[in-house]
Amino acid sequence: MTVTPQLAQLVAACHWIGQQGWAPATGGNMSIRAERGLCLLSESGKDKGSLTAADFIEVEIASGRAPSGRKPSAETGLHTLIYRLFPEAGAVLHTHSVNSTVLSRIETGSALLLQGYEMQKSLSGQRSHLDSVAIALFDNDQNISALAARIEAWAQTRPLRYGFLLRGHGLTCWGRDVQEARRHLEGLEFLFNCEMQRRLLER
């Protein structure tokens, strides 16, 4: 496999994610859009903090099939869905941080609303802390095909921007390239941390 600059940046982002503790115990999965209708997706069961370029598998975006026969991530269907829904998406990062996991369980609505934080401007297109950013929230499901269908149905009628949370599971976010996806991940994690602290202090 040719190690493109984007793949090299993804490997570096995975190592950084591992250092933050956001993908413990081989959890999480990461990908980039490639050529010929393919994406490169992290192999199942690998420690994300020590991934190499060889640990990424070619997957067909249309079908979710890995032509090589190797086993990609369990959440392959969510990555391929994002690439189908958003032609501009170039990278997807799925993490299991404590803050995203806990917030996804204590938030009872269909979205986590973030408002009043200057760091909302770390998300592309956000210009003011006065605006409200909604991060969609879905019930977790071991049936990834059914989960992907519910997310796709949501996206047909409501905005789905930056990422979404799965209850008790974590965050999936994306961007036009690895740099933007990484910025969205870092910005959202900062905002989740702020929101957790705010809720604790207001109890």
Side-chain angles (χ1 to χ4, degrees):
M1 179 189 300
T2 302
V3 181
T4 63
Q6 276 291 95
L7 180 54
Q9 290 169 15
L10 181 60
V11 170
C14 290
H15 294 175
W16 169 75
I17 288 168
Q19 291 167 2
Q20 309 309 310
W22 294 343
T26 76
N29 34 78
M30 296 80 185
S31 69
I32 54 171
R33 188 189 294 272
E35 298 177 342
R36 308 184 310 279
L38 299 171
C39 65
L40 297 176
L41 184 60
S42 53
E43 190 169 9
S44 180
K46 299 279 187 174
D47 172 46
K48 303 311 176 292
S50 57
L51 288 178
T52 69
D55 294 318
F56 288 84
I57 303 170
E58 288 187 340
V59 172
E60 296 173 348
I61 291 172
S63 68
R65 188 179 69 90
S68 67
R70 293 167 65 191
K71 184 182 178 183
S73 163
E75 281 93 15
T76 293
L78 302 184
H79 289 253
T80 55
L81 172 67
I82 291 164
Y83 292 127
R84 292 196 305 273
L85 286 177
F86 306 111
E88 71 279 9
V92 179
L93 306 174
H94 169 54
T95 54
H96 295 180
S97 75
V98 172
N99 286 327
S100 66
T101 303
V102 173
L103 274 175
S104 71
R105 295 200 63 186
I106 63 176
E107 175 57 56
T108 58
S110 61
L112 174 67
L113 296 180
L114 301 167
Q115 197 270 337
Y117 299 110
E118 182 68 13
M119 278 295 290
Q120 290 169 207
K121 294 193 293 185
S122 65
L123 305 174
S124 294
Q126 295 299 314
R127 298 289 179 263
S128 172
H129 67 287
L130 298 175
D131 295 331
S132 180
V133 177
I135 304 300
L137 180 56
F138 301 98
D139 289 337
N140 194 23
D141 197 327
Q142 300 304 307
N143 185 332
I144 296 300
S145 296
L147 176 56
R150 284 192 282 117
I151 294 171
E152 184 171 16
W154 167 287
Q156 302 307 316
T157 59
R158 285 165 284 190
L160 187 62
R161 300 187 67 190
Y162 312 118
F164 56 80
L165 289 164
L166 300 178
R167 291 194 195 279
H169 189 154
L171 170 69
T172 299
C173 67
W174 56 87
R176 290 172 293 183
D177 51 28
V178 174
Q179 296 97 320
E180 184 173 85
R182 178 170 167 164
R183 189 180 80 243
H184 287 167
L185 172 61
E186 188 170 16
L188 285 169
E189 285 293 346
F190 176 86
L191 293 167
F192 294 162
N193 194 13
C194 289
E195 190 65 12
M196 280 288 293
Q197 295 298 318
R198 182 186 70 81
R199 293 184 184 203
L200 286 170
L201 290 170
E202 290 181 352
R203 290 178 64 179

